[in-house]
């Protein structure tokens, strides 16, 4: 095994990783992809090679209870498999880059301090992303680390898309719309010229539908608006987050129900969305299989909200050439793709049912005025590319 780069995506209960061989030109070879799930409860390690064959799948001891101990377990596996090879660098997914970080950044103590100030803006993700950076710094001192932000891709949006219409003195402290899932959108924009050349230079809406969900309006491959804003709470209905709600509801929670800031935060990040509406599950698979009215309403609202926001972003784009589905739900649920396309038929989307079931990539009929697509995302590859460019492992593409 030659030298390699590691990509980490650290969440509250999982640490996802990819191992890439030292890149030749700008092509990255995926050596292994895996995750440690159930951190803090029943940790399990699994990994596959680039061709999808299982390399490891076993439970871990209960001592794996946080990012640090998860990283220890990963480091042990990396040593046993790649012992002697050199770690060239570690690229991290970091959800919030705030107003300062408009692009991937080499991590220094000052950068880390600044990123910690953004924890309240992304309490579900940012602390875990940063804990992984800390853990690598402690264990692999001297290995360069790169932070890749979900917000960066949206930073060129027009002022009208980024503004938060509150008093200037409030917004001066960085209150603006940032947008998220940027690594996913950047990846999709990067492959459109090959996968869907007829729309790559046009007006495209990408629907990143996973546990977190958002839409991005792309014009000629650049983000001009998105449904997530200052935090990852806005826009579409998500697994446990509500998407857009009347801010008066939040005031009511404080003033009339007397809830604390922590309680409101927990409601907004962990108890709302599909889980809140259904009272059953935050997992779309479960909800699609359940007959209860709450499950039906949750799915109906998910589709309704997506279709409504597709209409809004079409107005922003001044028309639409293509709609792309990606992420967990977007890639795996033909039923949700069908329902969103059906609700968006008025725009000129004519779904090809067979192609939709066959997972595309094109899922609309030949004659469809607006084309629809299913394209798997690859945020890890995007992080690897940025890490390689920043660390001088490969040359930037012009
Ligand atoms: P994240 O990376 O934000 O955790 P993913 O993009 O992996 O999320 O998406 C996870 C979600 O995808 C799951 O919560 C589940 O609801 C949904 N999902 C995965 N497979 C299917 C499927 N076959 N049908 C419907 N939903 C699915």
């Amino acid at each position: 095994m030659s030298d390699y780069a590691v990509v980490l995506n650290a969440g509250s209960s999982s640490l996802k990783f990819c191992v890439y061989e030292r890149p030749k030109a700008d092509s990255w070879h995926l050596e292994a992809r895996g995750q440690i799930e159930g951190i803090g409860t029943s940790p399990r390690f699994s990994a596959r090679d680039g061709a999808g064959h299982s390399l490891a799948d076993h439970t871990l001891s209960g001592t794996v209870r946080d990012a640090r101990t998860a990283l220890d377990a990963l480091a042990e596996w990396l040593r046993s498999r790649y012992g002697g090879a050199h770690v060239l660098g570690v690229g991290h997914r970091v959800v919030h880059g705030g107003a300062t970080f408009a692009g991937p950044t080499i991590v220094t103590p000052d950068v880390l301090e600044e990123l910690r100030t953004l924890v309240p803006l992304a309490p579900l993700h940012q602390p875990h992303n940063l804990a992984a950076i800390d853990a690598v710094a402690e264990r692999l001192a001297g290995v360069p680390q790169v932070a890749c932000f979900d917000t960066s891709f949206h930073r060129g949006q027009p002022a009208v898309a980024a503004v938060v219409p509150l008093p200037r003195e409030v917004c001066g402290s960085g209150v603006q719309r940032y947008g998220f899932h940027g690594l996913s959108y950047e990846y999709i924009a990067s492959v459109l010229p090959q996968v869907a050349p007829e729309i790559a230079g046009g007006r495209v809406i990408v629907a990143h539908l996973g546990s977190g969900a958002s839409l991005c309006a792309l014009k000629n491959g650049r983000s001009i608006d998105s449904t997530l804003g200052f935090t990852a709470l806005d826009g579409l209905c998500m697994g446990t987050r509500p998407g857009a709600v009347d801010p008066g509801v939040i005031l009511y929670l404080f003033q009339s129900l007397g809830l604390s800031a922590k309680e409101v935060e927990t409601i907004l990040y962990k108890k709302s969305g599909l889980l809140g509406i259904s009272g059953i599950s935050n997992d779309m698979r479960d909800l699609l299989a359940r007959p209860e009215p709450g499950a039906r309403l949750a799915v109906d609202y998910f589709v309704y909200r997506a279709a409504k926001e597709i209409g809004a972003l079409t107005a922003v784009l001044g028309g639409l050439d293509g709609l792309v589905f990606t992420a967990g739900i977007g890639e795996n649920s033909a039923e949700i793709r069908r329902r969103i396309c059906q609700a968006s038929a008025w725009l000129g989307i004519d779904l090809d049912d067979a192609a939709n079931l066959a997972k595309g990539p094109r899922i609309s009929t030949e004659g469809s005025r607006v084309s629809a697509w299913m394209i798997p995302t690859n945020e890890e590859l995007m992080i690897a590319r940025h890490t390689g460019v920043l660390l001088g492992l490969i040359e930037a593409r012009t």
Side-chain angles (χ1 to χ4, degrees):
M1 169 74 183
S2 56
D3 297 341
Y4 60 94
V6 178
V7 168
L8 295 180
N9 180 354
S12 58
S13 65
S14 72
L15 176 69
K16 295 180 186 158
F17 66 89
C18 283
V19 178
Y20 292 91
E21 265 185 58
R22 180 191 269 278
K24 297 176 186 69
D26 67 350
S27 92
W28 285 85
H29 175 70
L30 178 67
E31 229 293 316
R33 169 192 290 273
Q35 57 184 336
I36 298 175
E37 294 169 283
I39 296 172
T41 50
S42 38
R44 185 167 193 89
F45 184 98
S46 59
R48 292 177 178 278
D49 67 14
H53 302 122
S54 178
L55 297 173
D57 192 0
H58 53 263
T59 54
L60 292 167
S61 83
T63 54
V64 176
R65 58 187 178 279
D66 55 19
R68 284 184 165 71
T69 43
L71 201 88
D72 284 339
L74 173 58
E76 193 182 313
W77 185 78
L78 292 174
R79 257 195 309 275
S80 71
R81 188 169 164 79
Y82 307 114
H86 182 57
V87 185
L88 298 162
V90 180
H92 295 262
R93 177 190 179 202
V94 177
V95 161
H96 217 309
T100 308
F101 300 106
T105 301
I106 295 181
V107 177
T108 64
D110 287 347
V111 167
L112 208 45
E113 273 325 295
E114 177 119 18
L115 293 177
R116 287 193 215 287
T117 66
L118 300 169
V119 165
L121 306 192
L124 213 56
H125 301 96
Q126 193 91 344
H128 308 293
N129 304 154
L130 301 186
I133 295 178
D134 285 334
V136 171
E138 281 169 22
R139 281 150 184 78
L140 293 173
V143 171
Q145 302 197 70
V146 173
C148 301
F149 304 102
D150 270 321
T151 45
S152 303
F153 185 62
H154 303 293
R155 292 308 303 282
Q157 286 179 356
V160 283
V163 73
V164 170
L166 290 176
R168 278 171 166 261
E169 59 272 24
V170 174
C171 295
S173 59
V175 180
Q176 64 173 77
R177 298 186 73 252
Y178 291 102
F180 296 86
H181 296 135
L183 293 159
S184 174
Y185 293 129
E186 189 178 9
Y187 174 77
I188 298 291
S190 79
V191 299
L192 280 183
Q194 289 81 48
V195 181
E198 58 267 56
I199 59 167
R203 301 157 300 178
V204 175
I205 294 175
V206 185
H208 176 108
L209 308 177
S211 342
S214 70
L215 304 178
C216 179
L218 294 178
K219 205 172 217 171
N220 195 17
R222 291 179 181 274
S223 167
I224 63 161
D225 202 351
S226 55
T227 58
L228 285 171
F230 176 55
T231 67
L233 287 173
D234 205 357
L236 305 188
C237 176
M238 294 171 247
T240 58
R241 289 169 264 164
V245 284
D246 175 353
V249 174
I250 313 302
L251 279 180
Y252 173 84
L253 298 182
F254 283 118
Q255 294 172 338
S256 298
L257 299 188
L259 300 185
S260 69
K262 199 74 208 162
E263 287 168 325
V264 172
E265 182 184 288
T266 303
I267 287 174
L268 292 175
Y269 280 96
K270 297 187 174 163
K271 295 186 170 177
S272 299
L274 294 174
L275 176 63
I277 298 172
S278 69
I280 294 172
S281 172
N282 62 341
D283 192 313
M284 185 58 88
R285 279 166 294 204
D286 294 343
L287 296 175
L288 285 168
R290 297 282 288 253
E292 289 91 334
R296 300 269 66 78
L297 182 62
V299 177
D300 287 350
Y301 182 70
F302 184 90
V303 171
Y304 171 83
R305 189 84 221 183
K308 186 169 168 174
E309 300 287 343
I310 286 169
L313 288 186
T314 299
V316 166
L317 286 163
L320 189 64
D321 299 308
L323 172 65
V324 179
F325 292 93
T326 195
I329 299 171
E331 291 170 26
N332 296 305
S333 179
E335 174 64 7
I336 294 295
R337 290 196 300 268
R338 186 187 66 76
R339 290 183 57 175
I340 292 176
C341 286
Q342 201 170 47
S344 307
W346 64 277
L347 284 167
I349 298 176
D350 183 22
L351 189 73
D352 179 332
D353 286 315
N356 185 38
L357 288 171
K359 292 186 144 196
R362 185 175 170 131
I363 60 171
S364 54
T365 61
E366 282 290 315
S368 187
R369 208 154 31 84
V370 172
S371 59
W373 305 78
M374 193 292 284
I375 303 176
T377 194
N378 196 339
E379 291 153 299
E380 291 77 17
L381 182 57
M382 212 60 241
I383 295 170
R385 285 179 183 163
H386 286 311
T387 302
V389 169
L390 233 70
L391 298 183
L393 306 177
I394 54 177
E395 282 176 19
R397 275 204 252 190
T398 50

